[in-house]
Amino acid sequence: MIQRLLFAAASAFALSSCSPKPPPPAPAPDADWPYYGGDAGGQRFSPAAQITPRNVAGLKVAWTYSTGHMTAHPQASGRSAFEATPILAGGRLFLCSPFNVVSAHDPATGKPLWTYDPKIDATIRYPNSFNCRGVTYWRNPAAPAHAPCAETIFMATNDRRLLARDAADGKACAAFGQGGELDAMPDARLARPGGAQITSPPVVVNGVVVVGSSIDDNQRVRETPGAVHAFDAVTGALRWTYDPLQGVEPGVVAGAANVWAPMSVDEARGLVFLPTSSPSPDFYGAARPGNAAHANSVVAVKAATGEVAWAFQTTHHDVWDYDVPAQPTLAMLAYRGGPPRPAVIQTTKQGLVFTLDRETGQPIIPVEERPAPTGGEIGEALSPTQPFPVAPAPLAPNRITPDDAFGLTPWDRAACRKLIAGARNEGLYTPPSTQGTILYPFTGGGSNWGGIAFDARRGVAYVNTSSALHKVTLIPAGRVSAEKQAAPDVEISPQAGAAYGMRREVLLSPLGLPCNPPPWGVLSAVDMTTGKLLWRTPLGTPRDLAPGSQFLLRGVGTPNVGGPIVTAGGVVFIGAAMDDYLRAFDAASGKELWKGRLPAGGQATPMTYVWKGRQYVVVAAGGHAKSGTKRGDSVVAFALPG
């Protein structure tokens, strides 16, 4: 989808660069990356400091590993996204391919130590392509060292299994489920075989492993419930089930509200933090009056029982597909001179950042209920207000007028001006309509599943955001089939059981450029102790989508998929953009310091570790089906020479 955002063809240019040879780095203390988000709270911070702004330009490829999924699944690989972030724990590097092949590696060379292929059916079509964002490591405190599965790797699969493998040799944990696996959605009743999948890693807290799900969007009113399941980490016995829509108002008909993004854990408090999605169907809510319980919320549940400790809703009565899309980030935060408090920092597709008390769910940075547009289609009952944090200011623009339209030429801009003027457009939360409504940011915009990186020493969050326009048009149910037949290449979904189906399209100029002004992708730094923006810089270039166009379109950035990490060395690393690079930025100033060429799109979150005195930065480079970036199956590690 995002490839269609960019770019008109331009003359090809060649660009070469060189950098001075840095001095040999001093050996550093070993440092793991034992969780998907670096730590259980998802801060994506590493204490590694061998790589600094002064020497980062000397990074070179240290090793490369190919998962082989492009060869193993040549047809289905076009429907895959390599979004994996490896982890380093127990002296081994672990990762998964989009087709759920899990592997362990030598941290110094990338050489595989073992692999396991659960052999998922590659002919099934899933909601979010074939995808595996990561695996989970757990050390059983009750097991003797070197006992079978004393160290366990958990992986949830596209076909909704939960697997437990011995971290040492990859063998099945025989005591878990049936021969090391179980059905992770045992109560799901799917409308089609691929109607649900699991893309994000599970979490483990106090011997309980918790699993979310990803469910079809826009298809029907009576969708599969988005229940979260928890299992005993040793036996696989079901411990509890939590449905975010439990307790909704009588007469409400809906499903989903699932947890497809990564979760976070506070083991000391025994809490799991769930980012929930919108209820079904996404763009018309007449069958679900009210605010849909804990949909579109950050929900803290007790890991032992699944009981809700608290919930905070970021969007009321969502009809914009504004899921909570990112891992909640747990931190200690002192806001405006107050005492340090345990916090949850949550980014959203709207570009808003909510900061909540981890123990109560109450805002640490105040939140205001502000009037929102009303007047939806017949039967719709919208919330008259929506929540807005007073700080930081929105990190993505959310208002546009026809006069703001972008274009390379007067003709191009005039076409965009006409498209914007022809749609309903009252700012953020304008209701979907039969006229066609502007959604700004678009539903892939603001901050997405890559989440943030947080440097607790400075209280600074690093956030990448995307900016584009969606036009969403409601289609009377009786006309959906005919419109789909007339426009087979446009996203048109039935929302079966509702009065309206939907059509969703990105607003582009005749030259294929976004109609909203650039930058279309940025990386920002926010001081969370004050709520102030420290810096923002465009992220990415159109180089790999239209060679040479980066010279015509400077500083525009690109939409991006993936997230940042930050190190004690003062460097922010991020891929994500629609060109084939891993980049390094100065954490203090936002200056781009280095970029390393990748063999394919780097639409994944990197990680870093120190092994035997040498710091490595690792990223999956395999491209992304919905982004249109170059496809591949490589994992690339960079390090300083020597």
Side-chain angles (χ1 to χ4, degrees):
M1 177 192 73
I2 298 178
Q3 186 184 34
R4 297 192 307 241
L5 292 173
L6 304 170
F7 281 103
S11 301
F13 289 86
L15 184 65
S16 62
S17 62
C18 59
S19 56
K21 184 177 180 181
D30 286 353
D32 286 357
W33 189 276
Y35 300 89
Y36 166 81
D39 69 302
Q43 290 191 13
R44 294 174 181 80
F45 171 84
S46 171
Q50 187 179 78
I51 300 169
T52 69
R54 295 186 63 183
N55 63 20
V56 67
L59 286 177
K60 303 295 182 185
V61 174
W63 55 259
T64 301
Y65 170 74
S66 171
T67 68
H69 67 257
M70 293 289 288
T71 301
H73 303 287
Q75 296 178 328
S77 61
R79 294 180 281 112
S80 69
F82 199 8
E83 297 179 352
T85 298
I87 60 173
L88 180 73
R92 302 173 187 87
L93 193 72
F94 301 96
L95 62 93
C96 58
S97 80
F99 297 90
N100 295 120
V101 176
V102 59
S103 53
H105 301 262
D106 183 313
T109 65
K111 178 182 177 180
L113 304 174
W114 58 259
T115 63
Y116 173 69
D117 185 354
K119 299 187 183 303
I120 66 174
D121 186 346
T123 66
I124 293 178
R125 291 186 174 270
Y126 288 105
N128 288 292
S129 308
F130 291 96
N131 193 357
C132 178
R133 294 192 182 96
V135 300
T136 303
Y137 171 89
W138 179 60
R139 174 67 174 91
N140 183 354
H146 309 300
C149 293
E151 298 174 274
T152 301
I153 294 297
F154 291 104
M155 178 179 65
T157 66
N158 288 279
D159 59 5
R160 303 173 303 282
R161 286 178 280 167
L162 178 61
L163 310 181
R165 314 297 297 189
D166 192 314
D169 56 20
K171 293 180 180 178
C173 295
F176 186 85
Q178 298 295 315
E181 65 179 67
L182 52 79
D183 182 351
M185 298 178 66
D187 47 9
R189 299 293 180 266
L190 304 182
R192 63 179 188 88
Q197 65 186 129
I198 306 172
T199 56
S200 291
V203 295
V204 183
V205 52
N206 298 330
V208 178
V209 55
V210 184
V211 188
S213 63
S214 182
I215 294 174
D216 270 339
D217 280 347
N218 316 317
Q219 298 304 307
R220 58 195 64 83
V221 170
R222 296 183 180 273
E223 189 52 87
T224 302
V228 175
H229 297 85
F231 304 90
D232 186 282
V234 175
T235 68
L238 182 66
R239 295 280 291 269
W240 51 261
T241 300
Y242 164 67
D243 181 354
L245 293 182
Q246 66 188 20
V248 296
E249 294 85 344
V252 167
V253 180
N258 49 297
V259 178
W260 62 264
M263 298 169 281
S264 296
V265 163
D266 183 334
E267 190 157 10
R269 291 176 172 83
L271 296 176
V272 180
F273 297 88
L274 312 176
T276 66
S277 73
S278 56
S280 63
D282 287 302
F283 296 102
Y284 183 69
R288 47 175 174 86
N291 290 339
H294 298 155
N296 302 92
S297 299
V298 182
V299 184
V301 299
K302 297 179 181 179
T305 64
E307 178 187 356
V308 175
W310 57 260
F312 181 90
Q313 191 167 65
T314 63
T315 306
H316 304 323
H317 190 81
D318 183 15
V319 290
W320 306 274
D321 192 23
Y322 281 156
D323 303 342
V324 181
Q327 182 179 25
T329 299
L330 309 186
M332 292 298 295
L333 189 65
Y335 179 62
R336 291 195 172 178
R341 295 169 64 182
V344 180
I345 304 171
Q346 183 65 62
T347 57
T348 69
K349 291 182 178 182
Q350 299 95 304
L352 305 176
V353 181
F354 292 88
T355 307
L356 311 172
D357 187 291
R358 201 186 313 171
E359 296 179 330
T360 67
Q362 294 300 307
I364 292 175
I365 298 180
V367 173
E368 298 175 347
E369 288 288 336
R370 298 176 185 171
T374 55
E377 295 297 334
I378 295 174
E380 190 67 89
L382 297 163
S383 172
T385 64
Q386 293 290 347
F388 287 82
V390 300
L395 299 181
N398 55 40
R399 285 190 172 272
I400 192 168
T401 70
D403 289 341
D404 298 324
F406 176 80
L408 280 181
T409 67
W411 164 73
D412 208 37
R413 186 182 179 204
C416 279
R417 185 185 295 114
K418 183 177 180 180
L419 287 171
I420 295 170
R424 184 174 177 183
N425 175 25
E426 299 160 31
L428 192 59
Y429 303 117
T430 303
S433 62
T434 54
Q435 174 187 351
T437 290
I438 297 289
L439 267 64
Y440 191 42
F442 73 139
T443 60
S447 174
N448 214 276
W449 59 261
I452 71 171
F454 184 74
D455 186 340
R457 304 167 309 163
R458 301 175 59 221
V460 176
Y462 301 90
V463 191
N464 57 301
T465 52
S466 301
S467 182
L469 299 171
H470 262 146
K471 180 181 177 182
V472 171
T473 306
L474 296 181
I475 306 167
R479 288 171 30 200
V480 171
S481 180
E483 292 220 12
K484 181 65 177 175
Q485 189 172 11
D489 297 328
V490 177
E491 182 189 5
I492 296 175
S493 299
Q495 301 194 138
Y500 300 94
M502 59 74 65
R503 174 182 180 130
R504 176 167 50 180
E505 51 202 323
V506 177
L507 286 192
L508 304 175
S509 75
L511 290 177
L513 294 169
C515 281
N516 58 295
W520 299 308
V522 300
L523 177 66
S524 301
V526 180
D527 185 340
M528 295 303 298
T529 69
T530 64
K532 301 294 186 182
L533 180 70
L534 298 176
W535 53 257
R536 68 195 304 263
T537 187
L539 177 61
T541 73
R543 166 181 171 167
D544 290 306
L545 297 174
S549 61
Q550 71 271 25
F551 298 101
L552 297 176
L553 294 165
R554 292 182 179 273
V556 298
T558 71
N560 44 87
V561 183
I565 65 172
V566 63
T567 72
V571 181
V572 177
F573 290 99
I574 186 168
M578 300 296 103
D579 52 12
D580 303 338
Y581 287 103
L582 176 68
R583 288 180 165 83
F585 293 86
D586 187 317
S589 68
K591 178 183 178 182
E592 184 177 316
L593 303 169
W594 169 86
K595 58 184 178 183
R597 190 70 171 157
L598 300 174
Q603 286 74 57
T605 303
M607 54 84 75
T608 187
Y609 59 90
V610 180
W611 179 253
K612 295 184 178 179
R614 192 181 191 194
Q615 184 179 352
Y616 298 81
V617 182
V618 182
V619 67
H624 194 279
K626 294 183 178 181
S627 302
T629 48
K630 183 180 178 182
R631 314 311 304 284
D633 54 18
S634 296
V635 179
V636 183
F638 294 90
L640 295 172

